[in-house]
Amino acid sequence: MRFVMERMRLRMWRSGNLSPRRLFAGNRPGGNQRDGKRRRPGLVGIDIGATRVALVELEADGEGCRVCAFGIEPYAATRTAKNSNDPPIADAAAVGGAIAKLAKRARPRARRAAVAVSGAAVVCQVIELDSSYTDEEVASQIEVDADRLLPFPLADAAIDFEVGDLSPSDPAMAQVLLAACPQTELQRCSAALALGGFRPAIVDVRVLAMRRALAGIWPAGGECTALLELRRDAVTMALFAGAADVPLQCREDATDTRPGFAEDAGVETVRQRLSRLLHLQVASARESPARFLVAGEPTLTDATLDMLQQQTSADIEVVQPFADMTVSKRLDAEALGAAAPELLAACGLAMRRFDA
């Protein structure tokens, strides 16, 4: 199943008000960045991790695109709370400072940014609803079913959905991609971006952004593919059926992954997390992946590929999302290639510039 992303809208329920905005998705760029006489506005993909921020800016280049800015900036955030009874929250100033420092070094042209939400607080699933429903009726039905669908109160939720294809098991039903997260996640991202000198324009789901960045190199055919991301704060594995845009299943082994909370785990901890995810995948009785596409910090991918090869017979490939793109003459192409696996999510976010 593939979703037509350009119809997607954000529905934010807060105090009973419905506020539609553009959110999520988009396909691999093609054509020129001018649509008639209207020039597509610039957009920077900023991936806010628990211990670092990453940035990518793309522009149209004939039928493909060109990398015109990139970079990665680590940071060490402090933890603050209003009082001793409140849970600690990340220091947005530290994240914003890292973004500002990275922007000064990378020199992107645009100040509009696309960011992503991820982790246990994010809901991303396909549900089935009556195919005759209008967008307003879909929104109303999600609101009715919120207690069943969402792990947090509806009043605190930012919700988006996209109506896709008809259900293969019941033509009277349509498949609907539902994505939601707490409003506080959006507020945290917005605050950090503002402090870094950027204006939030688009919010995406991180695993969908990574999948989008691989659209041009995704394995053909109907085999199950696992997208594996290795970071010091978390290891994530998402299973995709064939060419699907939405994962069948997404698991993450991590400590608290909010910015500034994660421990800086060593290689052995990352290997242990990966091993647990692989065992869970086998125990779940899901279809075994025919291929693993590996992203994340280069030092971690190098240190874990041997273990992955020992525990699976699947094909293994370290991703290179910029392989089919040109690179601006002012950039270090070799450094971009070395950092590419860690820039996967930022690349997928930057590609939102080319949304229809």
Side-chain angles (χ1 to χ4, degrees):
M1 175 186 61
R2 298 185 69 85
F3 285 89
V4 182
M5 301 298 192
E6 57 265 24
R7 290 187 296 170
M8 205 163 209
R9 298 291 185 272
L10 168 66
R11 266 89 181 168
M12 299 173 67
W13 279 279
R14 199 172 188 183
S15 303
N17 295 324
L18 189 64
S19 175
R21 297 184 187 177
R22 291 281 301 182
L23 182 70
F24 303 137
N27 298 312
R28 195 169 183 83
N32 197 281
Q33 74 182 74
R34 289 185 179 273
D35 183 8
K37 294 184 178 180
R38 180 175 61 86
R39 183 181 179 88
R40 295 180 187 271
L43 185 74
V44 179
I46 298 181
D47 176 26
I48 302 176
T51 58
R52 60 97 182 103
V53 292
L55 177 153
V56 170
E57 185 178 34
L58 305 174
E59 62 183 10
D61 182 23
E63 292 300 313
C65 56
R66 177 188 297 113
V67 184
C68 49
F70 78 95
I72 298 170
E73 182 66 32
Y75 71 91
T78 58
R79 307 181 187 186
T80 59
K82 293 180 180 179
N83 59 62
S84 59
N85 294 323
D86 288 338
I89 57 176
D91 183 359
V95 183
I99 293 173
K101 185 176 180 180
L102 177 56
K104 184 177 180 179
R105 187 175 75 250
R107 294 183 296 159
R109 296 173 183 172
R111 288 290 154 173
R112 296 172 66 250
V115 294
V117 290
S118 64
V122 177
V123 173
C124 183
Q125 62 176 303
V126 176
I127 60 176
E128 293 190 355
L129 295 175
D130 194 309
S131 60
S132 66
Y133 280 0
T134 64
D135 276 3
E136 289 70 24
E137 289 171 323
V138 171
S140 296
Q141 189 61 50
I142 291 173
E143 185 172 5
V144 169
D145 295 337
D147 288 344
R148 176 176 60 85
L149 297 173
L150 305 180
F152 37 80
L154 178 64
D156 299 333
I159 302 177
D160 191 14
F161 67 85
E162 177 196 356
V163 180
D165 299 332
L166 295 178
S167 169
S169 59
D170 185 353
M173 305 294 284
Q175 296 176 315
V176 178
L177 172 61
L178 171 67
C181 71
Q183 290 277 357
T184 52
E185 293 295 316
L186 302 187
Q187 293 164 0
R188 184 180 295 114
C189 290
S190 296
L193 287 175
L195 289 170
F198 289 88
R199 177 170 61 87
I202 294 174
V203 181
D204 211 330
V205 174
R206 197 165 189 276
V207 68
L208 301 185
M210 291 193 292
R211 170 64 179 87
R212 183 182 311 109
L214 297 173
I217 59 174
W218 196 259
E223 295 179 323
C224 181
T225 298
L227 176 55
L228 183 66
E229 186 186 30
L230 306 171
R231 308 192 310 272
R232 293 187 182 275
D233 58 281
V235 175
T236 303
M237 184 165 66
L239 296 182
F240 293 84
D245 294 314
V246 182
L248 293 168
Q249 164 183 295
C250 186
R251 285 197 173 102
E252 185 172 83
D253 192 315
T255 52
D256 196 328
T257 57
R258 286 173 293 176
F261 278 65
E263 62 178 353
D264 187 10
V267 170
E268 188 55 38
T269 299
V270 173
R271 288 169 64 94
Q272 291 171 2
R273 289 173 174 168
L274 173 58
S275 181
R276 285 195 292 267
L277 286 180
L278 291 172
H279 281 100
L280 281 172
Q281 189 277 320
V282 172
S284 70
R286 288 275 189 181
E287 181 182 358
S288 296
R291 174 173 294 190
F292 280 85
L293 298 179
V294 184
E297 299 178 34
T299 55
L300 298 180
T301 58
D302 293 343
T304 53
L305 285 181
D306 61 330
M307 187 188 77
L308 190 58
Q309 290 166 345
Q310 292 170 9
Q311 296 197 22
T312 178
S313 59
D315 294 333
I316 301 169
E317 178 183 347
V318 177
V319 300
Q320 289 290 333
F322 307 111
D324 296 330
M325 301 184 190
T326 58
V327 181
S328 171
K329 293 181 179 179
R330 74 178 183 87
L331 300 182
D332 184 336
E334 185 175 345
L336 175 64
E342 192 173 358
L343 293 169
L344 183 64
C347 176
L349 292 170
M351 289 170 67
R352 290 298 304 272
R353 176 178 185 173
F354 306 97
D355 281 1

